[in-house]
């Protein structure tokens, strides 16, 4: 088990996290952006559709280890369940996906969310536990008002970002 984790990290460092995940047994569709390693002890239980973005630090929990502390004459209890990301899903930084969840086509999971239940197609969820915030269509309407790549000016990445960065903080709650 430890050797498998070391090999997965080495593959990720050398050929990228998508290659490492495929080698470990994760089913991955076409045209995905996988920006961090997919670390799980049961990679064959993770299925990722096409055109999916997985940002840094996302955790895939395909088992519930708490059952280890429950036992009787039949022994300890174990719970394993698949995690499925349908096509065109975005999963934000440090989100946690728990056993048995499906993220529906076109849905967005906000950074830091803890997904305890399956998410329907075409919605945006956030929080702990994750809850419905808006629809994907409403989010896209708002995002179209954001600056585009064509609006950026400058030679360096910093100059380009600074040319379109907001200057005001968000209002207080």
């Amino acid at each position: 088990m430890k050797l498998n984790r070391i090999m997965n990290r080495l593959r990720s460092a050398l050929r990228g996290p998508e290659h490492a995940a495929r080698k470990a047994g994760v089913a991955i569709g076409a045209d995905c952006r996988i920006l961090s390693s997919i670390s799980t002890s049961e990679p064959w239980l993770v299925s990722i559709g096409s055109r999916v973005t997985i940002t840094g630090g996302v955790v895939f929990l395909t088992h519930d280890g708490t059952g280890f502390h429950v036992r009787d004459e039949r022994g300890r209890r174990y719970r394993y369940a698949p995690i499925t990301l349908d096509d065109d899903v975005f999963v934000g930084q440090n989100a946690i996906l728990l056993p048995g969840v499906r993220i529906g086509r076109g849905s967005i999971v906000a950074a830091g969310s803890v997904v305890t239940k399956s998410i329907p197609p075409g919605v945006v969820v956030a929080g702990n536990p994750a809850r419905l915030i808006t629809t994907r269509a409403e989010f896209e309407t708002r995002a179209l008002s954001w600056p585009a790549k064509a609006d950026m000016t400058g030679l360096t990445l910093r100059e380009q970002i600074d040319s379109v960065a907001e200057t005001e903080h968000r209002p207080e709650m």
Side-chain angles (χ1 to χ4, degrees):
M1 184 65 94
K2 195 176 234 181
L3 181 60
N4 283 344
R5 275 191 240 138
I6 292 169
M7 290 302 296
N8 195 34
R9 286 186 182 147
L10 184 60
R11 281 188 202 104
S12 184
L14 294 175
R15 304 217 28 218
E18 182 176 341
H19 174 79
R22 286 182 193 279
K23 281 299 221 183
V26 176
I28 302 173
D31 301 320
C32 291
R33 289 189 319 150
I34 299 176
L35 306 175
S36 68
S37 64
I38 297 174
S39 180
T40 177
S41 53
E42 300 84 29
W44 62 91
L45 292 176
V46 176
S47 177
I48 298 169
S50 295
R51 299 167 306 282
V52 169
T53 296
I54 299 171
T55 60
V58 175
V59 176
F60 291 80
L61 286 175
T62 52
H63 63 276
D64 184 342
T66 58
F68 183 80
H69 295 282
V70 178
R71 61 182 148 200
D72 59 13
E73 65 281 350
R74 292 180 46 225
R76 297 181 194 277
R77 296 302 190 256
Y78 298 90
R79 178 172 181 253
Y80 300 94
I83 296 174
T84 302
L85 279 60
D86 291 341
D87 295 342
D88 304 305
V89 164
F90 177 93
V91 183
Q93 187 86 18
N94 294 325
I96 300 173
L97 310 179
L98 295 181
V101 300
R102 170 180 230 112
I103 312 299
R105 181 185 183 105
S107 287
I108 297 171
V109 177
S113 297
V114 178
V115 180
T116 61
K117 296 179 181 176
S118 291
I119 308 298
V123 298
V124 178
V125 299
N128 178 7
R131 61 193 185 285
L132 179 68
I133 300 299
T134 189
T135 66
R136 172 83 180 232
E138 289 170 351
F139 166 76
E140 286 181 0
T141 298
R142 281 196 303 268
L144 286 171
S145 70
W146 298 351
K149 177 76 172 166
D151 300 322
M152 293 181 170
T153 59
L155 298 176
T156 67
L157 178 60
R158 181 174 182 154
E159 289 171 345
Q160 292 170 0
I161 291 172
D162 286 347
S163 74
V164 296
E166 297 174 9
T167 57
E168 300 293 323
H169 293 288
R170 298 181 68 132
E172 291 183 4
M173 301 188 324

